[in-house]
Amino acid sequence: MNPLLSIWSQPTKTLAYMLEKKSVGYGVVIFLLGSVSSGSIAFAATGWFSGMPVFLSILLSILLIFTGSLLGWVIMTALYTWIGKWLGGTGAFSEMIHVTPTATILSIWIAPMNFLILGIYGSRLFEVPTENLGITNLPLGVYFFMNLVTIGVGIYGTVISCKGIGLVHNFSAWRGLGVLAILTAFVFVASIIISIIMAFLLFSLVTTVG
């Protein structure tokens, strides 16, 4: 079985195969390929690499995405394991780490689209948007099509993650969705708390300086 192909037609069997047959090193390869695919245009319109040669902008983008992916892999695996056990699951971190990368396989398949966009618009992608309400330098039709594809891949990736969590914890994909829902709520609340703390510290600093 080739997970890069079977993920579309046999997601459950692919997850089981990843759990039983594939090593952690295979997960690293998946994240590397996913980073090359999505990282090539991940920082488009941010202006972070404005003025840099296109090759250097792409290389830095891929390196940042790959580093973040590996860190996120460990964190998400730990959270999937912990929250899943809280919901009655029986899985272990050493099992979950094999299936967590599976959803990222989907992003590898959008590489042709990303590379085509990169080849057509080049350095324009990495400049601060000066048109289309400051959202993007791309034609709106292209921009919305890219986002539609990305959203579709993201939705299917969520389904894969739910199935993977359920497989490892020996419960249903619906309970796997519950794990993701709890994690999303946790991140949302944590973000609000951090924002409030940062705003308070900034206000205190401004007041002190004033």
Side-chain angles (χ1 to χ4, degrees), residues 55-182:
F55 175 78
L56 182 57
S57 299
I58 296 171
L59 180 60
L60 289 175
S61 297
I62 292 174
L63 287 175
L64 286 172
I65 293 297
F66 183 52
T67 301
S69 296
L70 294 181
L71 180 61
W73 181 17
V74 175
I75 294 174
M76 296 303 289
T77 297
L79 290 173
Y80 288 167
T81 303
W82 178 73
I83 297 174
K85 286 187 174 182
W86 184 61
L87 292 180
T90 59
F93 180 91
S94 59
E95 297 172 314
M96 188 68 72
I97 201 165
H98 293 287
V99 301
T100 304
T102 310
T104 302
I105 293 175
L106 306 176
S107 68
I108 298 174
W109 282 92
I110 62 175
M113 178 187 73
N114 292 339
F115 293 162
L116 178 62
I117 297 298
L118 183 62
I120 295 174
Y121 297 99
S123 60
R124 183 180 177 185
L125 287 173
F126 300 96
E127 302 296 329
V128 177
T130 57
E131 52 189 280
N132 296 324
L133 302 177
I135 298 174
T136 177
N137 287 323
L138 297 174
L140 284 178
V142 174
Y143 176 76
F144 285 124
F145 175 77
M146 289 177 61
N147 278 276
L148 182 63
V149 172
T150 302
I151 291 172
V153 169
I155 292 173
Y156 189 47
T158 300
V159 173
I160 297 299
S161 295
C162 292
K163 287 179 175 290
I165 294 170
L167 176 66
V168 173
H169 280 300
N170 294 306
F171 53 47
S172 68
W174 285 107
R175 192 173 295 187
L177 178 60
V179 171
L180 292 183
I182 292 172

Side-chain angles (χ1 to χ4, degrees), residues 180-200:
L180 292 183
I182 292 172
L183 178 57
T184 301
F186 172 77
V187 172
F188 178 73
V189 172
S191 299
I192 292 177
I193 294 174
I194 292 174
S195 298
I196 292 174
I197 293 174
M198 293 297 293
F200 176 77

Side-chain angles (χ1 to χ4, degrees), residues 8-87:
W8 297 102
S9 59
Q10 299 176 302
T12 302
K13 289 184 178 180
T14 302
L15 286 163
Y17 181 76
M18 290 286 290
L19 177 61
E20 297 173 4
K21 304 293 185 180
K22 290 303 181 180
S23 65
V24 171
Y26 190 77
V28 174
V29 172
I30 289 175
F31 282 116
L32 177 59
L33 294 176
S35 298
V36 172
S37 173
S38 58
S40 59
I41 61 171
F43 294 97
T46 63
W48 286 17
F49 307 119
S50 180
M52 287 187 180
V54 175
F55 175 78
L56 182 57
S57 299
I58 296 171
L59 180 60
L60 289 175
S61 297
I62 292 174
L63 287 175
L64 286 172
I65 293 297
F66 183 52
T67 301
S69 296
L70 294 181
L71 180 61
W73 181 17
V74 175
I75 294 174
M76 296 303 289
T77 297
L79 290 173
Y80 288 167
T81 303
W82 178 73
I83 297 174
K85 286 187 174 182
W86 184 61
L87 292 180

